[in-house]
Amino acid sequence: MVGGGQGAFIGGVHRIAARLDGEFELVAGALSSDPERARASGRELGLDPERCYASFEEMAKAEAARADGVEAVSIVTPNHMHYPAAKAFLEAGIHVICDKPLTSNLSDAMKLAELVKNSGRLLVLTHNYTGYPMIRHARQMIAEGALGTLRVVQAEYPQDWLTEAVASKQADWRTDPSKSGAGGALGDIGTHAYNLARFVTGLELDRLSADLSSFVEGRQLDDNAHVMLRFKGGAKGMLWASQVAPGHENGLKLRVYGSKGGLEWEQEHPNHLWFTPFGNEKRLITRGGVGAGAAAGRVTRIPGGHPEGYLEGFANIYAEAARAIRALREPGSSIPDDVIFPTVADGVEGVAFIESCVRSSKENGAWTTL
Amino acid sequence: MVGGGQGAFIGGVHRIAARLDGEFELVAGALSSDPERARASGRELGLDPERCYASFEEMAKAEAARADGVEAVSIVTPNHMHYPAAKAFLEAGIHVICDKPLTSNLSDAMKLAELVKNSGRLLVLTHNYTGYPMIRHARQMIAEGALGTLRVVQAEYPQDWLTEAVASKQADWRTDPSKSGAGGALGDIGTHAYNLARFVTGLELDRLSADLSSFVEGRQLDDNAHVMLRFKGGAKGMLWASQVAPGHENGLKLRVYGSKGGLEWEQEHPNHLWFTPFGNEKRLITRGGVGAGAAAGRVTRIPGGHPEGYLEGFANIYAEAARAIRALREPGSSIPDDVIFPTVADGVEGVAFIESCVRSSKENGAWTTL
Amino acid sequence: MVGGGQGAFIGGVHRIAARLDGEFELVAGALSSDPERARASGRELGLDPERCYASFEEMAKAEAARADGVEAVSIVTPNHMHYPAAKAFLEAGIHVICDKPLTSNLSDAMKLAELVKNSGRLLVLTHNYTGYPMIRHARQMIAEGALGTLRVVQAEYPQDWLTEAVASKQADWRTDPSKSGAGGALGDIGTHAYNLARFVTGLELDRLSADLSSFVEGRQLDDNAHVMLRFKGGAKGMLWASQVAPGHENGLKLRVYGSKGGLEWEQEHPNHLWFTPFGNEKRLITRGGVGAGAAAGRVTRIPGGHPEGYLEGFANIYAEAARAIRALREPGSSIPDDVIFPTVADGVEGVAFIESCVRSSKENGAWTTL
Amino acid sequence: MVGGGQGAFIGGVHRIAARLDGEFELVAGALSSDPERARASGRELGLDPERCYASFEEMAKAEAARADGVEAVSIVTPNHMHYPAAKAFLEAGIHVICDKPLTSNLSDAMKLAELVKNSGRLLVLTHNYTGYPMIRHARQMIAEGALGTLRVVQAEYPQDWLTEAVASKQADWRTDPSKSGAGGALGDIGTHAYNLARFVTGLELDRLSADLSSFVEGRQLDDNAHVMLRFKGGAKGMLWASQVAPGHENGLKLRVYGSKGGLEWEQEHPNHLWFTPFGNEKRLITRGGVGAGAAAGRVTRIPGGHPEGYLEGFANIYAEAARAIRALREPGSSIPDDVIFPTVADGVEGVAFIESCVRSSKENGAWTTL
């Protein structure tokens, strides 16, 4: 693991997610850019001190040289470090599991995509919401035509933790363009909403029109993003991401409407999916329940009514990564078709989305392609 | 009553709303443009045949001439008839209660505003959702500063009844520009959402950017409207109106966020209002319950937990109209300050909103003033 | 109207309910046992002073003697006055619409049933919750076998307004055995829950076991009732009524489970009915929506998604009464089969339910028949 | 681990729960009473074949003899095997983590309690719902007096999976008295509801009155349990457990009402807790949110709005067990006060609850002590 030392939030999430199915073991880390904190964090996690590195460069080199070196690395640093860290490990022949957004700018993202292609190694991007079983089911339903021709996509991700100016490890880098990239709320959560909409619907974006705001005085990046979407083929959409919406913790919500029906899903109640076939009664499909299909079933651990949550969804990304890594161990074999995880291409698109929104907003909402 | 004959929906609603508090009695009508149907409808409603008129012109003239002529008329025709009918009655000195949108075009709307001003008579526009007690409470809370500086307004009104092409009395005129005006979903329900946002927040629109769609083949007017809003003073908003969103019956919803807290209200559960003060627990305020203030209390009929609905909210507009009319009976007296109803000015703004959205959408989403 | 003067709650509800469909006109009343208040209340309601009576005896006699005397009377007094008032009007040949419970003791109830039978007049009991459209639909579904053999019935009606000792017109008579009868929460709301369970399921009670409590010091009647139910044919049930359950306004809720599926309905969200067919997805049926059948449709005024509430449900009882009264006007004609309202028999059963619960509770929960 | 071989559900849950925080490692097992399946299951889980035992007796003996023998064992067999297995391990000086109910009869349960006492080893009972953070918060609130004097406790746990006769590994032993004990739904889920009510409220049972049913033909044990509860000090309660309630997956729900307020919690939405202080607005407290106190915080892994679920709650029991085991490693040290887990005493009470309900039901609902 790179990043995720003391005081970080997402590092702990990755560790639990990796451990949940017993597929990964944490054996080495460059857990902080501060060597002292890196060591202390490693100690806390029971790492062999020899494998607690002071930098990711050192770690990539050393682990690549060990017979028992890591097969994969999780990168959970602030955004601007994703690129150099991922580069170091890919070049060392080590698979990369990387937090989103892929990089802090599009140029890095595209270089990384090239690197992945040439390395033959995996880059798994933790757009973790794609791991929720009911999201998999929604995707399957749409792919099978249950909604008919798609028309309208409403995506939103409101939070409230930046309603006031805050100073904290979490808040500081997310509101600093040099670490976060061009997007604030947009990069942190807007990309999740965008990625989820794309993942579930399969629609491709034609163009977007964005209106970004920074409501808290002195904030350099957007804390509220309003975006109108036009998809290829004629579907339309809206996307709202906000970190200044009091009352919302992680209100990611996706609604999709087609000529034959609608779907609605909320991250805070992830075990439920509403299906509203036009001209029929509304149906509530539950994870593990009767209507949940094969795609959901493959990533479901426990029976319906016993809620699975965020960590399980996140762990599904790791479980998919494990299947893919295992498949690649055998020369000549390839990743099974039903293994699904967000790739470097999704990552490039996410960064392009951020930059296009920023560009559109600067041009007063001009319709912009990715 | 003008319009509202057999087969109409909204006419019956107006009649119940008018009757609910015992303030109005229906005594005359021009209930249909088809004289035969007008007579039959009048018979059904127990009207004196002599006061069942073949046209609104005839009715306005005859009623104005009677000692016991009507004090007020309800106009519940398709949109394009609002203007001539309202004109006839105002000129005859009769108060007008008129369905929204005010007229089918802005020019008529402005002429009507002028007429109202000169007539000294009332024009009460039935933007009925402003009659819901918890909407009154939301408005009071915002006016009192409970949300701090307003930042974000999310308004939506999805329906599904026009998901497929339908032919019915209800659907036909609403999708016919010569009767409905320039807006489809926009005029029918988008104006409700816009009016509600304005009513609750008190914010004034600076400009808007709209993307309108007609998803059903052959439909002449929009059946889905995506609009971004910028308010004077810096608040931003989104508005979504759709009649092709399967699963939604009348999903009008308003969410408002400020520097100190948020509010959320849904028309399908109108007795509840979520208040989310930043840094505090979420609170559910119920109509008739502990937290509901004076503005809600004034339009509340029954105790909390016994739901009031659409008809009661609609009736509150009629009750306010009754108070205003009664006040105007006495020479020299004026309407009490706490009487609240949508006026001809709201109506003009609503029609301007429709036409601005249409204009913006034609200009590819250009930011447009009203 | 008898009772329902100034300061009363339920009188106003009856008046709105009666007026809503324009079927009844209030023309006479004995609105209070205090003659002064009776007169003042009548003035407020615009009654002819001559028809504002000082007592119900006087009113029954005088109205029976008038050519334009009332056809029906609403009795909305405290419970102990239901019997003498109903008796006076039935004997005067006037139909009676009476609030529940029917009387304050079983002996009065049975005498009243006899009186009704002999009078040929109607007694309509306002167990108003039976008027909700989705309750009518639930009843239809069960009658048609959608749930298979019924097994379990869970009924509850929690409120919180008597959590502390209160002194008010509303509270005083409800907690006074000489006015309310043997039941406190049991009589006020427990009978509603019991009646609703019976109405929807059609099951007949075999026996019950009750545990009543008075939690507030000095209270003479129960404020919390726990009851286990055994129905004929083998179904079992539980009933909970409480007026000391903080957070509940009028939380009447009914759940019914059979061999083929379940139903769930809550009074505070009356436009929704959950149907859960075993082995299938859960379905939300909405009033006015696709799945709502003929029985609901007959008592539905407005389209789905525009909520109807308590007053509309109450008004449906009045509308049914109006249809029945109209049918009886014509000699030899009878009440149409599809007219449904709670009768004096339901009233007798309700009072028997109260007294059986009290008896069972005194005998330490012994299983008791009605 | 004892039990939990191929085809079992709860074994997998225990394994994930144990692994989630990285505190336990699975190194040995007697995974099935069928030696072939035991071996195959062990292989699947990557156990050293030498530590895949054919019986728990063998395992207890062998592991106790190893220098690196297990410190604790999870027992996840059908109920009737809990006692002999726990006995074997306790006698071998190994801590026991045991699924509920503790044993299949009270006599075994009491013997086990004695054994635990004498062994100085831990017995941790996985009444896993006590591990949910908001349950911990509810318990803290009540202990701190936020609800005042407790009056009413409503507990329920409906499921639907036994609505029809089913034959499966899961269903077979649960409906077989020789394996399950005297309770069907009562033992499987009723004990959970009872334990949860006791855990949260701290109330002690005085007596109970039960009415058990077996609705599915041929079923030997109850599939529906209705129970009235009287607690010491005067509070009353109801408990409903059912496995024949179509539409319910794992509908465990607890509501508690006192003189000052109420609480409501549902297992299917475990991150939410309603708090309804009398005379104030209803409040929704969220895990990780503003109102959640120290007791919840101690068992919370991720921020509010990112749902934690069943596995995390279950893992909290394991985490508490780990803290307790670690504390006992050091001679002379004791378990910290804030470590909370269900003990053998809770297990004895649970079995007593089952047997008392069965006895009461046989005696026609006679009030019975534990």
Side-chain angles (χ1 to χ4, degrees):
Chain A
M1 176 167 282
V2 175
Q6 293 168 334
F9 146 62
I10 203 70
V13 167
H14 277 256
R15 285 192 294 268
I16 295 178
R19 190 162 53 220
L20 201 104
D21 294 304
E23 297 272 21
F24 292 90
E25 201 183 345
L26 180 64
V27 292
L31 300 168
S32 172
S33 51
D34 166 352
E36 186 52 48
R37 181 181 291 196
R39 255 191 310 275
S41 302
R43 230 181 354 256
E44 244 181 60
L45 295 169
L47 294 190
D48 178 350
E50 192 180 296
R51 297 175 84 175
C52 283
Y53 302 96
S55 74
F56 62 80
E57 294 90 344
E58 190 190 325
M59 175 175 166
K61 194 179 294 180
E63 290 292 322
R66 291 178 73 110
D68 65 348
V70 297
E71 250 184 308
V73 67
S74 294
I75 299 176
V76 295
T77 63
N79 303 343
H80 67 305
M81 299 304 292
H82 291 177
Y83 172 66
K87 182 170 184 294
F89 285 92
L90 289 168
E91 289 177 349
I94 294 168
H95 299 299
V96 168
I97 299 172
C98 183
D99 213 39
K100 47 50 58 189
L102 182 63
T103 59
S104 60
N105 64 68
L106 187 56
S107 149
D108 282 358
M110 292 173 73
K111 283 188 277 179
L112 198 47
E114 194 62 22
L115 264 166
V116 169
K117 197 171 134 196
N118 296 334
S119 71
R121 301 292 83 191
L122 293 171
L123 191 145
V124 175
L125 195 69
T126 51
H127 269 308
N128 57 291
Y129 303 112
T130 63
Y132 275 118
M134 299 319 284
I135 283 297
R136 298 289 177 101
H137 186 55
R139 186 173 185 257
Q140 178 184 350
M141 288 182 72
I142 287 175
E144 291 174 357
L147 265 57
T149 305
L150 300 190
R151 291 169 172 174
V152 179
V153 180
Q154 301 289 111
E156 62 184 47
Y157 197 153
Q159 296 182 328
D160 67 4
W161 67 296
L162 296 179
T163 292
E164 298 181 350
V166 281
S168 74
K169 190 178 161 78
Q170 299 298 324
D172 290 351
W173 73 257
R174 280 184 175 81
T175 54
D176 175 353
S178 74
K179 296 188 173 160
S180 187
L186 199 59
D188 197 26
I189 55 177
T191 46
H192 272 309
Y194 177 74
N195 175 265
L196 196 71
R198 288 270 289 111
F199 179 79
V200 167
T201 65
L203 292 171
E204 284 179 52
L205 192 73
D206 180 17
R207 49 195 72 217
L208 58 79
S209 165
D211 192 21
L212 307 184
S213 310
S214 294
F215 283 110
V216 173
E217 212 182 301
R219 188 164 287 161
Q220 296 182 62
L221 293 172
D222 65 281
D223 51 24
N224 191 82
H226 282 159
V227 191
M228 297 197 297
L229 307 167
R230 291 181 185 162
F231 295 97
K232 287 175 186 165
K236 301 283 184 83
M238 285 183 126
L239 186 149
W240 173 46
S242 184
Q243 294 180 319
V244 294
H248 291 285
E249 295 179 329
N250 281 285
L252 175 61
K253 183 173 176 176
L254 181 66
R255 296 178 287 179
V256 185
Y257 305 96
S259 56
K260 292 167 60 180
L263 285 178
E264 182 170 333
W265 179 86
E266 290 182 73
Q267 192 268 154
E268 298 195 4
H269 298 285
N271 297 282
H272 286 179
L273 176 69
W274 279 100
F275 172 45
T276 50
F278 183 65
N280 268 286
E281 295 157 4
K282 303 181 185 205
R283 288 152 201 223
L284 183 62
I285 305 176
T286 58
R287 187 197 50 75
V290 171
R298 213 174 58 76
V299 292
T300 289
R301 286 174 188 79
I302 51 174
H306 279 146
E308 292 189 6
Y310 176 84
L311 292 171
E312 288 79 8
F314 215 111
N316 286 334
I317 306 295
Y318 270 87
E320 299 281 43
R323 286 189 69 202
I325 290 170
R326 195 173 288 121
L328 294 182
R329 278 185 192 160
E330 322 235 336
S333 81
S334 67
I335 301 173
D337 276 355
D338 63 353
V339 170
I340 298 172
F341 57 82
T343 65
V344 74
D346 296 306
V348 171
E349 184 172 341
V351 179
F353 171 77
I354 296 169
E355 299 200 350
S356 296
C357 285
V358 171
R359 203 163 61 240
S360 169
S361 188
K362 280 193 184 141
E363 293 169 10
N364 206 21
W367 287 98
T368 304
T369 56
L370 289 190
Chain B
M1 176 166 281
V2 175
Q6 293 166 334
F9 146 63
I10 204 68
V13 166
H14 278 257
R15 285 191 294 268
I16 294 177
R19 190 162 55 219
L20 200 103
D21 294 304
E23 297 274 19
F24 292 90
E25 202 183 345
L26 180 64
V27 293
L31 299 168
S32 172
S33 52
D34 165 353
E36 187 51 49
R37 180 181 292 198
R39 256 193 308 278
S41 302
R43 225 175 6 249
E44 244 181 56
L45 295 169
L47 293 189
D48 179 350
E50 191 182 297
R51 297 176 83 175
C52 284
Y53 302 96
S55 74
F56 63 79
E57 294 90 344
E58 190 190 326
M59 175 175 166
K61 194 179 291 180
E63 289 293 321
R66 293 176 71 110
D68 65 349
V70 295
E71 251 182 307
V73 68
S74 294
I75 300 176
V76 296
T77 62
N79 304 342
H80 67 305
M81 299 304 292
H82 291 177
Y83 173 66
K87 182 171 186 291
F89 285 92
L90 288 168
E91 289 177 348
I94 294 168
H95 299 297
V96 168
I97 299 172
C98 184
D99 213 39
K100 47 51 53 188
L102 182 63
T103 60
S104 60
N105 62 68
L106 187 56
S107 148
D108 282 0
M110 291 174 74
K111 283 188 275 180
L112 198 48
E114 195 62 23
L115 265 165
V116 170
K117 196 172 134 194
N118 297 334
S119 71
R121 300 291 84 191
L122 293 171
L123 189 144
V124 176
L125 195 69
T126 51
H127 269 307
N128 56 291
Y129 303 112
T130 63
Y132 275 117
M134 297 320 283
I135 283 296
R136 298 289 177 101
H137 185 56
R139 185 174 186 258
Q140 178 184 348
M141 287 181 73
I142 287 175
E144 291 173 359
L147 265 56
T149 306
L150 300 189
R151 292 171 171 172
V152 179
V153 180
Q154 301 289 112
E156 63 182 49
Y157 198 152
Q159 295 182 327
D160 67 5
W161 68 297
L162 295 178
T163 292
E164 298 180 351
V166 283
S168 74
K169 190 179 163 72
Q170 299 298 325
D172 290 352
W173 73 258
R174 279 184 176 79
T175 53
D176 175 352
S178 74
K179 295 188 174 158
S180 186
L186 199 60
D188 196 23
I189 55 176
T191 47
H192 272 308
Y194 177 75
N195 175 266
L196 195 70
R198 287 272 289 111
F199 179 78
V200 167
T201 65
L203 292 171
E204 285 180 51
L205 192 73
D206 180 18
R207 51 195 69 217
L208 58 80
S209 165
D211 192 22
L212 308 183
S213 310
S214 294
F215 284 109
V216 173
E217 210 181 304
R219 189 164 286 161
Q220 296 182 62
L221 294 171
D222 65 281
D223 50 26
N224 190 82
H226 282 158
V227 190
M228 297 198 295
L229 307 167
R230 291 181 185 163
F231 295 98
K232 288 174 185 165
K236 302 283 182 81
M238 285 184 126
L239 187 150
W240 172 46
S242 185
Q243 294 179 319
V244 293
H248 291 285
E249 295 178 331
N250 282 285
L252 175 60
K253 182 173 176 177
L254 182 65
R255 295 179 286 180
V256 185
Y257 305 95
S259 56
K260 290 168 62 181
L263 286 177
E264 181 170 334
W265 179 86
E266 290 181 74
Q267 193 268 153
E268 297 194 4
H269 299 285
N271 297 282
H272 286 179
L273 176 69
W274 279 100
F275 172 44
T276 50
F278 182 65
N280 269 288
E281 294 157 5
K282 303 181 183 204
R283 287 152 202 224
L284 184 62
I285 305 175
T286 58
R287 187 197 51 74
V290 171
R298 214 174 58 76
V299 291
T300 288
R301 287 175 186 78
I302 52 175
H306 280 146
E308 292 190 5
Y310 177 85
L311 292 170
E312 288 79 7
F314 214 111
N316 285 335
I317 306 294
Y318 269 86
E320 299 281 42
R323 287 189 69 202
I325 291 169
R326 194 174 288 120
L328 294 182
R329 278 182 191 161
E330 321 235 336
S333 81
S334 67
I335 301 173
D337 277 353
D338 64 353
V339 171
I340 297 171
F341 56 81
T343 65
V344 74
D346 295 305
V348 172
E349 184 173 340
V351 178
F353 171 77
I354 296 169
E355 299 201 350
S356 297
C357 286
V358 171
R359 203 163 61 241
S360 170
S361 188
K362 278 192 184 141
E363 293 170 10
N364 204 22
W367 288 98
T368 304
T369 55
L370 290 190
Chain C
M1 176 166 282
V2 175
Q6 293 166 335
F9 146 63
I10 204 67
V13 166
H14 278 256
R15 286 191 293 268
I16 294 177
R19 189 162 55 220
L20 201 104
D21 294 304
E23 297 273 19
F24 293 90
E25 201 181 345
L26 180 65
V27 293
L31 299 169
S32 172
S33 51
D34 166 351
E36 186 51 48
R37 181 181 291 199
R39 257 192 309 278
S41 302
R43 230 182 355 257
E44 244 181 58
L45 295 170
L47 294 190
D48 178 350
E50 192 181 296
R51 298 176 84 174
C52 284
Y53 302 96
S55 73
F56 62 80
E57 294 90 343
E58 191 192 324
M59 175 175 166
K61 193 180 293 180
E63 289 292 321
R66 293 178 72 111
D68 65 349
V70 295
E71 249 183 310
V73 67
S74 293
I75 300 176
V76 295
T77 62
N79 303 344
H80 68 305
M81 300 303 293
H82 292 177
Y83 172 66
K87 181 171 186 292
F89 285 92
L90 289 168
E91 289 177 347
I94 294 168
H95 299 297
V96 169
I97 299 171
C98 184
D99 213 39
K100 47 51 54 188
L102 182 63
T103 60
S104 60
N105 63 68
L106 186 56
S107 149
D108 282 359
M110 292 174 73
K111 283 188 276 181
L112 198 48
E114 195 61 24
L115 264 165
V116 170
K117 197 172 135 194
N118 297 334
S119 71
R121 301 292 83 191
L122 293 170
L123 189 144
V124 175
L125 195 69
T126 50
H127 269 307
N128 55 291
Y129 303 113
T130 63
Y132 275 118
M134 298 320 283
I135 283 297
R136 298 289 178 101
H137 185 56
R139 186 174 185 258
Q140 178 183 350
M141 287 181 73
I142 287 174
E144 291 173 359
L147 264 57
T149 306
L150 300 189
R151 292 171 172 173
V152 180
V153 180
Q154 301 289 113
E156 63 183 49
Y157 198 152
Q159 294 182 328
D160 67 4
W161 68 295
L162 295 178
T163 293
E164 298 180 352
V166 283
S168 75
K169 191 180 161 75
Q170 298 299 324
D172 289 352
W173 73 258
R174 280 185 175 80
T175 53
D176 175 353
S178 73
K179 295 188 174 158
S180 186
L186 199 60
D188 197 24
I189 55 177
T191 46
H192 272 308
Y194 177 74
N195 176 266
L196 196 71
R198 287 271 290 111
F199 179 78
V200 168
T201 65
L203 292 171
E204 284 180 52
L205 192 72
D206 180 17
R207 49 195 70 216
L208 58 80
S209 165
D211 191 22
L212 308 182
S213 311
S214 294
F215 284 108
V216 173
E217 211 181 302
R219 188 164 287 159
Q220 296 182 62
L221 294 172
D222 65 281
D223 50 24
N224 191 82
H226 283 159
V227 191
M228 298 197 296
L229 307 167
R230 292 182 185 162
F231 295 99
K232 288 175 185 165
K236 302 282 183 82
M238 284 183 127
L239 186 150
W240 172 47
S242 184
Q243 293 179 320
V244 293
H248 291 286
E249 294 178 331
N250 282 285
L252 175 59
K253 183 172 176 177
L254 182 65
R255 295 178 287 179
V256 185
Y257 305 96
S259 56
K260 291 168 60 181
L263 285 177
E264 181 170 334
W265 179 86
E266 291 181 73
Q267 193 267 153
E268 298 195 3
H269 299 285
N271 298 283
H272 286 180
L273 176 69
W274 279 100
F275 171 45
T276 50
F278 183 65
N280 268 287
E281 294 157 4
K282 304 181 183 205
R283 287 150 203 226
L284 183 62
I285 305 176
T286 59
R287 187 198 51 75
V290 172
R298 214 174 57 75
V299 291
T300 289
R301 287 174 187 80
I302 52 175
H306 280 146
E308 292 190 5
Y310 177 85
L311 292 170
E312 288 79 6
F314 215 111
N316 286 335
I317 307 294
Y318 270 87
E320 300 281 42
R323 288 189 66 201
I325 291 169
R326 195 174 288 119
L328 294 182
R329 277 183 192 161
E330 321 234 335
S333 79
S334 67
I335 301 173
D337 277 353
D338 64 353
V339 171
I340 297 172
F341 57 81
T343 66
V344 74
D346 295 306
V348 172
E349 183 173 340
V351 179
F353 170 77
I354 296 169
E355 299 201 349
S356 297
C357 285
V358 171
R359 203 162 62 241
S360 169
S361 188
K362 279 191 183 141
E363 295 170 10
N364 205 23
W367 286 99
T368 305
T369 56
L370 289 190
Chain D
M1 174 167 283
V2 175
Q6 293 168 335
F9 146 63
I10 203 69
V13 166
H14 278 255
R15 284 191 294 268
I16 295 177
R19 191 162 52 220
L20 201 104
D21 294 304
E23 297 272 21
F24 292 90
E25 200 182 345
L26 180 64
V27 292
L31 300 168
S32 171
S33 50
D34 166 352
E36 186 51 51
R37 182 181 291 196
R39 255 192 309 278
S41 302
R43 229 179 358 253
E44 244 180 60
L45 295 169
L47 293 190
D48 178 350
E50 192 181 297
R51 298 175 84 176
C52 284
Y53 302 96
S55 73
F56 62 79
E57 293 91 344
E58 190 191 326
M59 175 174 166
K61 195 180 294 181
E63 290 292 322
R66 291 178 73 111
D68 66 346
V70 296
E71 250 183 310
V73 67
S74 294
I75 300 175
V76 296
T77 62
N79 303 342
H80 67 306
M81 299 304 292
H82 291 178
Y83 172 65
K87 183 170 184 294
F89 284 93
L90 289 168
E91 288 177 348
I94 295 168
H95 299 298
V96 168
I97 299 171
C98 183
D99 213 39
K100 46 49 58 188
L102 182 63
T103 59
S104 60
N105 63 68
L106 187 55
S107 149
D108 283 358
M110 291 173 73
K111 282 189 276 179
L112 199 47
E114 194 62 22
L115 263 166
V116 169
K117 198 173 134 194
N118 296 334
S119 72
R121 301 291 83 191
L122 293 171
L123 190 146
V124 175
L125 195 69
T126 51
H127 269 307
N128 56 290
Y129 302 114
T130 63
Y132 275 119
M134 299 319 283
I135 283 297
R136 297 289 177 101
H137 186 55
R139 186 173 185 258
Q140 178 184 350
M141 289 181 73
I142 288 175
E144 292 174 358
L147 264 56
T149 306
L150 300 189
R151 292 169 170 174
V152 180
V153 180
Q154 301 289 112
E156 63 183 48
Y157 197 152
Q159 295 182 328
D160 68 4
W161 67 296
L162 295 178
T163 292
E164 298 181 350
V166 282
S168 75
K169 189 178 161 78
Q170 299 298 324
D172 290 351
W173 72 258
R174 279 184 176 79
T175 54
D176 176 352
S178 74
K179 296 188 175 161
S180 187
L186 198 59
D188 197 25
I189 55 176
T191 46
H192 271 310
Y194 177 75
N195 175 266
L196 196 71
R198 287 271 289 109
F199 179 79
V200 167
T201 65
L203 292 172
E204 284 178 53
L205 192 73
D206 180 18
R207 48 195 72 218
L208 58 79
S209 165
D211 192 21
L212 308 183
S213 311
S214 294
F215 284 110
V216 173
E217 211 182 302
R219 188 164 287 162
Q220 296 182 62
L221 293 173
D222 65 280
D223 50 25
N224 190 83
H226 283 158
V227 190
M228 298 197 297
L229 307 168
R230 291 182 186 163
F231 295 98
K232 288 174 186 165
K236 301 282 184 81
M238 285 183 126
L239 187 149
W240 172 46
S242 185
Q243 294 179 319
V244 294
H248 291 285
E249 295 179 329
N250 281 285
L252 175 60
K253 183 173 176 175
L254 181 66
R255 296 179 287 179
V256 185
Y257 305 96
S259 57
K260 291 167 61 180
L263 285 178
E264 181 170 333
W265 180 85
E266 291 181 72
Q267 192 267 153
E268 297 195 4
H269 299 285
N271 298 282
H272 285 179
L273 176 69
W274 279 99
F275 172 45
T276 51
F278 183 65
N280 269 286
E281 294 156 4
K282 303 181 184 205
R283 287 153 203 224
L284 184 62
I285 305 176
T286 58
R287 188 196 49 75
V290 171
R298 213 173 59 74
V299 291
T300 288
R301 286 175 189 78
I302 52 175
H306 280 147
E308 291 189 8
Y310 177 84
L311 292 171
E312 288 79 7
F314 214 111
N316 286 334
I317 306 295
Y318 269 87
E320 299 281 42
R323 285 189 70 202
I325 291 170
R326 194 173 288 121
L328 294 182
R329 277 184 192 162
E330 323 235 335
S333 79
S334 67
I335 301 173
D337 277 354
D338 63 352
V339 171
I340 298 172
F341 56 83
T343 65
V344 73
D346 295 306
V348 172
E349 184 172 340
V351 178
F353 172 77
I354 295 169
E355 298 200 350
S356 297
C357 285
V358 171
R359 203 161 62 239
S360 169
S361 187
K362 280 193 183 139
E363 293 170 10
N364 205 22
W367 286 98
T368 304
T369 55
L370 288 191

